Amino acid sequence: MATFETKAKGELSIFTEGIWRHHHQEQNLMLIPDGTFNVVVINHEALIDNEPVGRGVYFIPVLTRAVMISSDQPIYGLRLKIFSLHNLIQCNNIDVRQTRDVFKISIAQQLSDYVFNGTKDAEHLSECDRVLENLNYELLHKNYQVNPSLRDRVNYILDRKGNIQIQEMCREFEISRQGLHKSFKNSLGVGPKELSSIWRLNHYLWRLQHEDNFTSCAFDAGFYDQVHCIKEFQSKLGLSPRKFTYLNITSVPYIHSTIEKRFTNFYDPD
């Protein structure tokens, strides 16, 4: 596997799934819609969806389509739980309306020097763990208080792997559809229905790791039929499920690994 991660520790584990490192120089890093967002450290020139970017710390939003990152040098990142976006927005003056786009985060020069010097020549993930953990802390600016209602609503969808009915969710949390949608959009940049479709698609990918019957996996994940599944899959990943299964990209095993960990509560705080 060309992408490695360390599980976030301590109080960061409430907000962050993992610290990761991608070091394969010949293949792209593929980020798919998975109900998380990333902060990526690029120490040299790279390409994000074939657009050149310079050295910097980049915000990769809660994705609704696959994004490809390529560089001839290692790339480092933090993968954060979706409800943490509320904390990061508040602390860094990020406009939630921009969360559809990849953009460079402005950080203090001292922190910038610390991050780039600490990751520049690192040979192993463990060497830059502390650097990336400190970046994680600084991005949250000690705002370590979780919004409990937002977290509960997000986890309601995650626990059901995206297979939900919005009306039932509204009854569960005693909130109107409009109120639920507004709370998600204002804090996360995506609506509850959109997030549920992302995690349902992830569940489908997870099922395909254990069974090779595409139709059966689609039904198990809550799709009406295989046509519905393929259409949604292609809209978010840009190719069919069968083509994704045979995709020769080194980050694909890592994608499957993180989905399985997420659905088996590996990333929940101890």
Side-chain angles (χ1 to χ4, degrees):
M1 194 181 297
T3 310
F4 302 90
E5 77 166 10
T6 300
K7 182 181 177 182
K9 304 178 183 67
E11 58 193 347
L12 284 179
S13 65
I14 299 172
F15 306 96
T16 306
E17 286 191 347
I19 297 168
W20 55 262
R21 177 180 188 262
H22 180 79
H23 70 92
H24 201 288
Q25 298 180 3
E26 298 177 357
Q27 291 205 28
N28 294 345
L29 168 65
M30 184 182 195
L31 300 177
I32 71 164
D34 66 356
T36 68
F37 67 98
N38 286 262
V39 174
V40 177
V41 176
I42 295 176
N43 225 320
H44 304 80
E45 291 185 352
L47 296 174
I48 299 180
D49 280 348
N50 292 320
E51 292 292 328
V53 296
R55 188 175 80 159
V57 178
Y58 290 87
F59 173 82
I60 311 290
V62 179
L63 297 175
T64 56
R65 61 174 181 82
V67 166
M68 305 293 278
I69 306 176
S70 60
S71 173
D72 61 1
Q73 300 293 327
I75 303 168
Y76 303 92
L78 305 166
R79 190 178 63 259
L80 293 99
K81 301 173 185 181
I82 188 170
F83 55 79
S84 307
L85 183 58
H86 180 70
N87 297 68
L88 191 126
I89 286 170
Q90 287 185 322
C91 293
N92 297 274
N93 297 316
I94 294 175
D95 186 348
V96 73
R97 292 171 298 182
Q98 289 184 304
T99 57
R100 292 290 190 186
D101 305 314
V102 176
F103 61 88
K104 193 174 182 178
I105 297 175
S106 177
I107 59 176
Q109 187 62 50
Q110 185 176 0
L111 177 60
S112 177
D113 292 342
Y114 169 73
V115 169
F116 294 127
N117 290 335
T119 59
K120 183 178 180 181
D121 299 315
E123 293 294 330
H124 304 287
L125 181 60
S126 59
E127 294 180 26
C128 56
D129 269 0
R130 184 176 296 277
V131 174
L132 294 171
E133 283 177 354
N134 286 337
L135 172 63
N136 201 166
Y137 276 114
E138 289 298 321
L139 290 173
L140 294 172
H141 284 306
K142 299 182 174 59
N143 182 11
Y144 308 132
Q145 297 299 314
V146 174
N147 182 325
S149 63
L150 183 61
R151 184 186 184 191
D152 287 347
R153 292 168 188 176
V154 165
N155 285 341
Y156 176 92
I157 299 174
L158 176 59
D159 290 343
R160 291 158 180 78
K161 302 179 181 63
N163 193 9
I164 67 162
Q165 296 294 324
I166 294 296
Q167 194 59 45
E168 290 180 6
M169 184 175 177
C170 290
R171 285 196 294 269
E172 176 74 20
F173 292 99
E174 299 180 342
I175 189 173
S176 68
R177 292 178 70 101
Q178 184 179 10
L180 180 67
H181 182 79
K182 185 177 180 180
S183 70
F184 269 64
K185 290 290 286 188
N186 288 346
S187 299
L188 309 176
V190 296
K193 188 174 182 179
E194 196 166 31
L195 180 60
S196 68
S197 70
I198 289 170
W199 276 333
R200 181 173 57 186
L201 198 64
N202 279 213
H203 184 202
Y204 174 66
L205 277 174
W206 186 38
R207 293 289 303 145
L208 285 177
Q209 290 301 291
H210 304 282
E211 184 180 342
D212 58 5
N213 187 315
F214 288 85
T215 300
S216 175
C217 289
F219 280 120
D220 288 345
F223 290 97
Y224 303 125
D225 53 37
Q226 180 68 355
V227 173
H228 175 215
C229 178
I230 292 173
K231 184 178 180 180
E232 195 161 316
F233 197 99
Q234 288 178 324
S235 71
K236 289 183 170 59
L237 276 78
L239 71 173
S240 71
R242 191 173 298 277
K243 287 184 178 179
F244 184 87
T245 301
Y246 297 107
L247 197 61
N248 184 27
I249 294 180
T250 56
S251 56
V252 168
Y254 176 66
I255 290 171
H256 290 308
S257 173
T258 57
I259 290 173
E260 179 146 6
K261 289 175 181 177
R262 191 173 302 117
F263 284 158
T264 54
N265 300 319
F266 174 83
Y267 295 121
D268 280 356
D270 295 332

